[in-house]
Amino acid sequence: MTPPPITDDLGRTVNYMRLSVTDRCNLRCSYCRVGGGPVLPHKDIMRYEEMVELAKLAQSLNIAKLRLTGGEPFARPGFPKLLEMLAQSCPGLDVRITTNGTLLKGMPRLLMELGITRINISLDSLNPDTFKDITGHDLFHTVRAAVDECLEHGLKVKLNVVALKGVNDSELPAFLDLAMAQPLDLRFIEFMPMGQSQRQDEQYWSSDQIVASAGKLVDLTPIDRKSADSGPAQLFSLTGPQGPGKGRLGVISPLSHHFCSTCNRLRITSSGRLRTCLFSDREYRLLPLLRSPQHGPE
Ligand code: SAM
């Protein structure tokens, strides 16, 4: 018998899981707590077999979407093997990836073959120098080429841009030009101050400010969230002087407009810790259960 969907005490249905494939990253983004910090010993990171076991279990509990993230997922050796294992073991599971795009070259064809049709790529600047300043690496052109390669192979691309006042706000017109010209969803994410992040509050650029500024450059038409499969993003279609844009603009507002009431997700760290809320440090250790099921919950 199929178990009922997972619902929480507030009646929200949970059907989406984010799984961090690794705690390591090959970039050092100034606003992010992942890169550069201490890393876990390999023995404490879930093996691919354990991740697949967890994905199978999640799918049996009606989790329909699995997002693989990190750290940088493609930086973990053998990551394509995990994708193949998931395709084999979890048919029908909608697997998506969030990546910085630096290691994507040559991958889009394989992704499509494995049924992975949606990818989120982080790209915080269209200026190579600013990109290097933010990430610590001179890889703008690599990521930009990866975006094109994904689009050429028919992947649906969301471009994640962390909104940083004084850093990339002057690039709003260039980002809108890109979304006018290419069929991708541009998504500005409000900067969330976290852990070791070096960025300060004065760099906070709210989604309301972004939408107001964008509205002066192009016509914005809000898109209904449910019909758009937009997750926490508020999406807009774009119309410029030459007509409708090929892409769309989205804003994600974790700070200014909490989306807790529509939250449908679980998060699993690379060491197998379950987190039910982005804003809470409370964790449940799943790895001991995966490795020795007879132990039971701690
Ligand atoms: N390495 C992958 C990447 O760069 O997309 C996946 C991991 S990264 C932590 C996932 C997303 O979180 C990226 O889009 C990144 O820009 C975003 N992010 C990281 N730190 C953030 C912060 N302090 N505020 C807002 N977004 C942040």
Side-chain angles (χ1 to χ4, degrees):
M1 203 175 75
T2 318
I6 308 173
T7 49
D8 68 10
D9 290 348
L10 301 168
R12 295 172 298 188
T13 301
V14 178
N15 56 14
Y16 178 29
M17 188 165 95
R18 293 176 69 97
L19 174 60
S20 178
V21 171
T22 173
D23 63 336
R24 285 138 168 99
C25 189
N26 59 333
L27 296 185
R28 295 286 174 268
C29 297
S30 51
Y31 54 76
C32 182
R33 69 174 160 189
V34 174
V39 290
L40 292 166
H42 286 294
K43 69 174 178 37
D44 293 342
I45 304 275
M46 274 190 289
R47 295 189 290 267
Y48 285 148
E49 290 77 9
E50 291 163 341
M51 292 185 175
V52 172
E53 208 47 47
L54 209 53
K56 275 171 29 186
L57 179 65
Q59 194 179 23
S60 77
L61 295 171
N62 294 304
I63 295 288
K65 288 183 207 167
L66 174 69
R67 177 167 298 283
L68 302 173
T69 178
E72 172 48 42
F74 284 94
R76 178 160 174 179
F79 178 58
K81 181 74 197 155
L82 171 65
L83 301 177
E84 279 170 26
M85 290 160 75
L86 285 169
Q88 253 175 16
S89 302
C90 305
L93 185 63
D94 181 352
V95 178
R96 304 171 176 200
I97 303 172
T98 297
T99 171
N100 61 33
T102 56
L103 301 167
L104 263 183
K105 192 172 164 41
M107 292 289 167
R109 180 188 299 275
L110 174 69
L111 298 183
M112 288 300 277
E113 283 168 8
L114 293 173
I116 298 170
T117 58
R118 292 171 185 270
I119 192 156
N120 291 5
I121 301 177
S122 300
L123 182 62
D124 298 326
S125 176
L126 297 175
N127 176 314
D129 293 333
T130 311
F131 180 94
K132 186 177 174 197
D133 183 40
I134 295 172
T135 64
H137 289 267
D138 193 7
L139 289 170
F140 166 76
H141 294 290
T142 304
V143 180
R144 189 65 193 82
V147 172
D148 285 344
E149 193 182 337
C150 286
L151 290 172
E152 277 157 23
H153 283 84
L155 280 143
K156 288 201 164 61
V157 176
K158 294 179 183 170
L159 216 59
N160 285 347
V161 185
V162 176
L164 297 166
K165 192 173 259 177
V167 177
N168 59 12
D169 54 340
S170 61
E171 295 187 45
L172 183 60
F175 274 116
L176 288 173
D177 283 349
L178 180 68
M180 290 296 295
Q182 293 199 285
L184 47 78
D185 281 355
L186 185 63
R187 307 188 322 157
F188 282 93
I189 307 172
E190 283 180 349
F191 157 60
M192 294 175 280
M194 292 202 255
Q196 307 157 8
S197 164
Q198 295 163 14
R199 298 286 175 191
Q200 304 299 316
D201 281 356
E202 67 261 23
Q203 284 174 318
Y204 175 63
W205 183 24
S206 78
S207 56
D208 288 348
Q209 290 169 329
I210 295 167
V211 171
S213 302
K216 291 179 186 156
L217 300 166
V218 292
D219 285 338
L220 301 177
T221 307
I223 299 172
D224 178 56
R225 272 180 203 232
K226 283 196 185 119
S227 66
D229 186 29
S230 62
Q234 170 64 62
L235 272 185
F236 300 86
S237 60
L238 312 171
T239 310
Q242 317 299 333
K246 291 187 177 165
R248 307 184 288 190
L249 169 69
V251 285
I252 301 182
S253 323
L255 296 192
S256 64
H257 303 285
H258 282 181
F259 35 77
C260 302
S261 65
T262 56
C263 183
N264 62 347
R265 57 194 58 187
L266 299 174
R267 293 180 157 77
I268 313 276
T269 69
S270 55
S271 56
R273 290 164 187 252
L274 167 67
R275 288 184 164 212
T276 55
C277 176
L278 180 61
F279 295 103
S280 165
D281 285 333
R282 191 163 173 188
E283 297 179 329
Y284 304 87
R285 295 175 61 208
L286 303 182
L287 195 52
L289 294 175
L290 279 168
R291 290 192 175 165
S292 311
Q294 70 277 14
H295 282 171
E298 292 184 341

